[in-house]
Amino acid sequence: MQYRILPYEPHLKDLARKLRRTMTRGETILWNHLKAKKMHGYDFDRQRPIDRFIVDFYGKELMLAIEIDGLSHASEEAQQKDEERQARLEALGVSFLRFHEEDVCKRTEEVVAEIEAWIVSMQVQQSP
């Protein structure tokens, strides 16, 4: 399947590498369900630079970003920045799924099921 290549700022590559080495517990748990094409055969990257941002997980073929929001996203200011960031990336055609860190850790199967449901609904929409 061919996918759209999205630009990114090259200086973000080093930061993305550092973030991959210091993933949160929730990111690690979810990564174990996304890596190696475990999610309906789709390939996901972790800590993927897109435009001037880094998203937690990104499926190129699906143009899907998955974000895990921890305590650093709790303030009003952080939520406003997240909304602006998400709007900018959605303008590039990226879809978003957001989960709280605690939900990923405590309700992993429900989070995974929600991602799977999103993928299945996209597959149905793309069917002729």
Side-chain angles (χ1 to χ4, degrees), residues 13-89:
K13 285 176 77 169
D14 287 335
L15 177 56
R17 280 189 200 104
K18 288 177 188 173
L19 291 171
R20 284 184 209 115
R21 289 191 298 265
T22 59
M23 291 194 312
T24 67
R25 182 169 179 259
E27 289 170 343
T28 302
I29 289 169
L30 189 55
W31 178 239
N32 286 323
H33 290 272
L34 297 174
K35 68 182 178 181
K37 297 187 178 186
K38 291 180 187 176
M39 187 63 66
H40 288 266
Y42 288 100
D43 186 36
F44 280 86
D45 296 329
R46 58 190 170 128
Q47 303 302 336
R48 174 70 178 205
I50 302 173
D51 192 42
R52 59 182 190 221
F53 308 103
I54 297 174
V55 297
D56 292 334
F57 303 102
Y58 183 66
K60 296 182 281 281
E61 294 174 67
L62 298 164
M63 290 193 69
L64 172 63
I66 301 173
E67 287 288 294
I68 301 177
D69 296 337
L71 293 176
S72 65
H73 297 264
S75 74
E76 251 184 75
E77 182 181 338
Q79 289 176 6
Q80 178 68 30
K81 285 182 180 181
D82 282 345
E83 288 173 16
E84 291 169 4
R85 172 178 177 255
Q86 182 170 333
R88 181 171 171 98
L89 294 177

